[in-house]
Amino acid sequence: IAYRFLRRLENRVQMLADQQVHELPGDAEAQLRIAWGLGHDDAAALRAALDAERAVVSEEFDRLLEARRQRQAPNALSQYWRALPDGGEPAVLRDAGFADAESADAALRDFAQGPGVRTLSARGRSRLDHVLPLLLAAAALSSAPAMALKRGLALLQAVLRRTSYLALLEEQPAALARLVDVTARSALLAERLAAHPLLLDELLDSRVAALPDEPEIIAGIDALQLPENDLEAALQQLAEYRQSCAFRIALATLAQRQPAQASARQLATLAEAVLAACLRLVRTDIESAHGRIDRAGFAVIGYGSIGGREFGFGSDLDLVFLHDAPLEAMSDGARPLDASRYFARLAQKLVSLLGTVTGAGKLYEVDVRLRPDGAKGLLVSTVASFGDYQRERAWTWERQALVRARALAGDAAVCAAFESIRRDTLCQTRDASALRDDVVAMRRRMRGELDRGDAARFDLKQGESGLVDLEFLLQAEVLQRAAAEPALCEPRDTPGLLAALGCDAELAAAHALLLARGLDCTLDQRPRLVAYDESLEGARAVVREACLGAGLDFR
């Protein structure tokens, strides 16, 4: 009953101003309208009913926590913590399982005498005194005690003023155990939790094991009901949704509840949906100031990892922008712009919006260097000039990049025009020997500049027989064979390309292993450099054999 009451009230509040708000308006007339809409005589009656339902919920919540409350006698870790910063013996930490007890002791003393702890309320200090020993005990038993402690203290520092989180961690040992496990194994997630404590809700949520599929990710963006007249608020909502969804995907990847390829595809879907929402917001903003250009379209093209649906947790968006307006066209608003400036401003605002820092972080970094003529070229190309460039001036590596390119958002006619240009370009007849020479020369040059591996560690992306070698192999095969087999133009992702090209299962397994190792590194904020081992060498051998078999000696 309380849930239905609160939901109906929330719906009425949001309907009143058509905004995603969660509190009663301050205006007396607005409160009266809501009260009447829910069958109450006046605003006072509505508030009385609200207070009654909130009391019911509060009582049930307190009863739930009380049932789970465990007040154990102070153990050694509790006594140690409560004696800080002046007392306490590091030997207690050593006995608990911390190998470098002195460093752990120093970190805890610094934390204990910090202003955040010293100025806590009595209630907050009481909760911290229960949570921190539990955190110490769990960290000592984790896979990386020192890291778990360091990252756990950073998180506690971030939530000290939000004692409700301390209470929930105190009362839900399972959530605390998940927190310690995540912080011990993933620097990225630990950092995000400390920067955005709201993500703790994802660890506390009993549905944490349930991952949204791709249609649900897109539907989640649509359900946000972003306010088009308030870009800042809309951006905050998008950033919070992206953080939450990416965090769930990361948890599933960390726990190996799904393969790395599935995670990469979900991250790409999330980025694409966020991009499309940002484009809608930007278009509305531009049109309010400058109007529209009649019968003109705009599209965003994704290259690289977003085009190939193999996105990572920290990947950039490699984007190219196209429009199909005549150069002499003008917008019809109060401040008209010619087509070139109009769409350039649209693209600039989109890039800026994606990179704006909000309370929930920024959405994505954007890289636009793959546009025709690179940094010297226009930010937004016409469809006609883009087609001319691909036919007449593009380098082989730029045509390779088209293999993974995909229209992400925008007007259907421009997206279709891009797909036509892409298909025509990929299906051109090429001299096999010249193609191989170009591809090999570019790959060797890239490795010389970008490979960070050494005798002890392998660069998963740029190393010999790594991910980029495999990408170059597939791109070269498409460029060579698409004239006779146009269906090769359809897939953009590596598994799809491997299947279309008739590659064996061993090559697909090698790709899956390399991708998974790379995501593991990203989750722990390590460079994609890994120690050599038998499984890695097996995957590399498969990639190397496939490249040599195609006449591509990248060594």
Side-chain angles (χ1 to χ4, degrees):
I1 294 173
Y3 176 81
R4 287 198 297 270
F5 176 90
L6 293 170
R7 272 298 186 195
R8 289 181 66 218
L9 177 56
E10 180 188 52
N11 289 339
R12 295 302 190 280
V13 169
Q14 293 178 352
M15 288 166 62
L16 183 68
D18 194 23
Q19 293 183 0
Q20 195 80 359
V21 294
H22 307 281
E23 59 185 358
L24 286 173
D27 178 69
E29 181 181 346
Q31 287 190 17
L32 182 60
R33 290 176 62 189
I34 292 172
W36 286 348
L38 291 171
H40 299 283
D41 293 335
D42 52 32
L46 171 63
R47 286 193 295 271
L50 174 59
D51 290 342
E53 298 300 341
R54 291 179 63 196
V56 169
V57 174
S58 179
E59 182 180 350
E60 289 297 322
F61 188 69
D62 288 343
R63 185 180 294 118
L64 172 67
L65 292 186
E66 187 63 36
R68 303 176 72 141
R69 198 164 274 136
Q70 298 178 0
R71 301 297 186 195
Q72 299 176 345
N75 56 22
L77 288 172
S78 293
Q79 293 171 353
Y80 162 80
W81 162 248
R82 294 179 191 220
L84 296 182
D86 301 319
E89 293 296 328
V92 174
L93 298 175
R94 186 177 298 106
D95 293 342
F98 289 95
D100 189 352
E102 285 71 23
S103 294
D105 177 70
L108 284 159
R109 289 181 191 278
D110 287 344
F111 178 74
Q113 61 190 356
V117 174
R118 287 190 289 105
T119 58
L120 272 176
S121 65
R123 187 177 185 184
R125 178 67 199 223
S126 175
R127 286 172 172 170
L128 179 63
D129 286 346
H130 283 93
V131 168
L132 199 136
L134 295 175
L135 179 79
L136 286 175
L141 296 174
S142 72
S143 59
M147 282 294 98
L149 175 59
K150 177 183 177 181
R151 296 164 183 171
L153 289 179
L155 175 62
L156 288 181
Q157 186 68 53
V159 302
L160 282 176
R161 297 298 175 192
R162 308 181 190 194
T163 56
S164 58
Y165 284 123
L166 292 177
L168 287 169
L169 289 173
E170 177 188 2
E171 312 302 344
Q172 298 196 34
L176 182 61
R178 284 199 297 271
L179 171 64
V180 171
D181 178 62
V182 165
T183 54
R185 297 167 58 200
S186 174
L188 175 68
L189 297 189
E191 180 182 274
R192 290 190 178 178
L193 282 165
H196 312 293
L198 282 172
L199 291 174
L200 274 172
D201 292 338
E202 303 298 339
L203 284 175
L204 302 173
D205 194 336
S206 61
R207 300 169 300 158
V208 72
L211 272 170
D213 57 24
E214 292 178 32
E216 288 173 325
I217 290 173
I218 297 169
I221 295 283
D222 295 337
L224 293 177
Q225 297 181 340
L226 303 173
E228 294 183 346
N229 60 343
D230 188 343
L231 280 180
E232 184 177 348
L235 198 57
Q236 178 72 19
Q237 286 181 252
L238 277 173
E240 288 178 357
Y241 179 84
R242 188 197 75 85
Q243 286 279 14
S244 173
C245 203
F247 191 82
R248 283 181 176 269
I249 295 169
L251 288 176
T253 308
L254 194 66
Q256 297 183 334
R257 287 192 280 113
Q258 66 179 13
Q261 289 170 328
S263 297
R265 191 175 183 91
Q266 287 170 344
L267 289 169
T269 297
L270 175 61
E272 191 173 344
V274 168
L275 171 67
C278 285
L279 179 58
R280 290 193 292 270
L281 292 170
V282 169
R283 293 189 89 151
T284 299
D285 188 61
I286 290 290
E287 288 171 3
S288 67
H290 305 290
R292 299 182 180 185
I293 298 180
D294 190 34
R295 294 187 297 277
F298 176 85
V300 183
I301 311 302
Y303 279 68
S305 59
I306 184 63
R309 296 184 186 274
E310 292 173 10
F311 215 59
F313 292 104
S315 294
D316 295 345
L317 293 172
D318 292 306
L319 303 180
V320 167
F321 307 108
L322 303 177
H323 76 85
D324 64 355
L327 291 179
E328 67 276 8
M330 298 288 294
S331 65
D332 58 8
R335 289 181 286 160
L337 293 173
D338 63 78
S340 180
R341 286 196 297 162
Y342 182 92
F343 289 111
R345 190 161 298 182
L346 177 62
Q348 288 165 352
K349 198 167 186 68
L350 177 60
V351 171
S352 175
L353 198 66
L354 289 165
T356 297
V357 177
T358 73
K362 67 174 65 175
L363 294 172
Y364 298 100
E365 295 286 353
V366 176
D367 189 337
V368 295
R369 290 175 296 177
L370 285 173
R371 65 187 187 269
D373 292 315
K376 299 179 297 182
L378 295 173
L379 179 60
V380 185
S381 302
T382 66
V383 169
S385 66
F386 181 80
D388 289 342
Y389 180 84
Q390 295 298 333
R391 282 190 299 270
E392 306 296 337
R393 306 196 310 280
W395 296 84
T396 298
W397 68 265
E398 291 177 291
R399 289 165 177 160
Q400 286 178 242
L402 276 179
V403 172
R404 286 159 64 87
R406 189 165 53 87
L408 304 179
D411 297 291
V414 184
C415 293
F418 163 76
E419 291 294 337
S420 178
I421 292 169
R422 174 184 175 274
R423 188 180 187 87
D424 290 345
T425 302
L426 296 182
C427 289
Q428 290 174 358
T429 301
R430 293 177 173 85
D431 177 84
S433 178
L435 174 63
R436 283 195 300 271
D437 289 347
D438 284 351
V439 171
V440 169
M442 175 54 71
R443 182 67 194 106
R444 288 178 178 173
R445 177 183 171 185
M446 285 179 64
R447 177 171 300 123
E449 296 175 356
L450 301 174
D451 186 358
R452 296 170 296 169
D454 52 33
R457 298 185 300 171
F458 175 68
D459 187 327
L460 289 162
K461 183 175 181 180
Q462 296 292 346
E464 187 265 317
S465 301
L467 284 167
V468 176
D469 276 19
L470 178 54
E471 288 176 11
F472 269 51
L473 165 65
L474 300 181
Q475 291 161 6
E477 286 292 291
V478 171
L479 290 176
Q480 181 58 41
R481 293 167 49 180
E485 304 172 64
L488 294 177
C489 297
E490 294 307 315
R492 322 297 161 100
D493 61 307
T494 298
L497 286 166
L498 288 168
L501 290 164
C503 299
D504 58 35
E506 285 190 334
L507 200 54
H511 171 257
L513 183 143
L514 294 170
L515 184 66
R517 294 283 185 93
L519 280 183
D520 286 345
C521 291
T522 306
L523 280 172
D524 205 27
Q525 290 190 324
R526 292 180 278 114
R528 281 184 282 188
L529 301 171
V530 298
Y532 296 95
D533 60 33
E534 185 176 349
S535 60
L536 176 62
E537 288 302 286
R540 292 183 63 206
V542 171
V543 174
R544 184 183 302 114
E545 182 180 350
C547 292
L548 293 174
L552 301 170
D553 188 352
F554 295 137
R555 295 172 295 180

